[in-house]
Structure formats: structure tokens, C-alpha cells
Amino acid sequence: MEHTIQLMENHLNIDLGNPPFMNLDNGLQIPYSSITGITTGSPIPNAFKIHGFSFLGKRNGLFRFDGDYHLYFFNNKVDTLHFDLNQFVVGKFIISKLIIEVKNPEEKSKTISERLT
């Protein structure tokens, strides 16, 4: 599944398709002010699955790591974009990390980072 990111004036629109196990039909709208860091290809935390899918390196859903909630949407951990988030709420959860698979993660990271400064 290809995830698309649109850079808007004050936020990112991230289209996640229709992920199984989660009602995110409208994707995510993340304010730039909620993004505290962005990296690529970082190690994936060994998180505990709360709600979603985790099998053979593929992850899709809500996970818990070190007391924080994370959202993961990837089949290939090499092509991932990692967002560190501050006070970003999805449903009743405060999400501290979002990891999604995208094409050209380094290029997207650079483009988004320019908006953060």
C-alpha cells in the first residue's frame, strides 16, 4: 500500500488508504507544530501490538512502546518515514510516534523538515 503525503500550509495530510483494524478513512491531518522530529530507516521499536496486525516484519495499527502509543503502517521497514509527535491525538490515544512506508523516504523527510523550521 502506497501512503501519500500532502504538504498543506499548516499541516500534513497523510492518506493511509483504508487500513484494516482502524477507522482512519480520512487519513491523518498532523499539524507541523505537533512534529518534533523526522527520520528515515531508523530501527523499528519492539512494540507491543494493541490493535492491528503484526506478522513477519509487517505492521499495521496501534502499538505501545515504553509507555507511549505508536501508529505503524508499513510492509517494508527499510522504506519508512518516522515522525516523532507531541500531543497528537487519534481517537482517545495520544500518539508519540508514527511510522509509515513511503516511496523515497529521504526526499520526503527533507521536504517536510524544511516546513518545520
Side-chain angles (χ1 to χ4, degrees):
M1 169 65 203
E2 163 109 19
H3 302 111
T4 58
I5 299 175
Q6 286 183 298
L7 281 71
M8 308 305 283
E9 185 175 339
N10 298 313
H11 66 279
L12 293 178
N13 278 338
I14 300 178
D15 181 2
L16 299 167
N18 188 11
F21 311 110
M22 301 196 77
N23 184 13
L24 295 173
D25 294 338
N26 296 327
L28 297 172
Q29 291 76 42
I30 303 175
Y32 294 125
S33 60
S34 293
I35 301 171
T36 59
I38 184 168
T39 58
T40 62
S42 300
I44 307 296
N46 188 19
F48 175 75
K49 178 183 65 165
I50 301 285
H51 187 69
F53 175 81
S54 178
F55 184 71
L56 297 175
K58 298 177 182 184
R59 295 186 191 175
N60 189 334
L62 179 67
F63 291 77
R64 184 114 168 140
F65 177 75
D66 207 19
D68 293 326
Y69 291 101
H70 295 186
L71 286 174
Y72 300 153
F73 298 98
F74 62 87
N75 293 321
N76 176 359
K77 65 182 181 180
V78 174
D79 293 326
T80 53
L81 198 53
H82 303 240
F83 294 94
D84 295 321
L85 303 172
N86 182 30
Q87 299 300 314
F88 181 68
V89 178
V90 175
K92 62 181 180 177
F93 301 99
I94 298 173
I95 306 299
S96 66
K97 185 171 277 295
L98 169 66
I99 301 176
I100 60 171
E101 182 176 349
V102 295
K103 287 185 179 179
N104 304 316
E106 292 83 12
E107 181 181 316
K108 285 186 174 52
S109 173
K110 182 180 176 188
T111 303
I112 295 167
S113 293
E114 290 171 357
R115 293 281 181 121
L116 300 181
T117 56

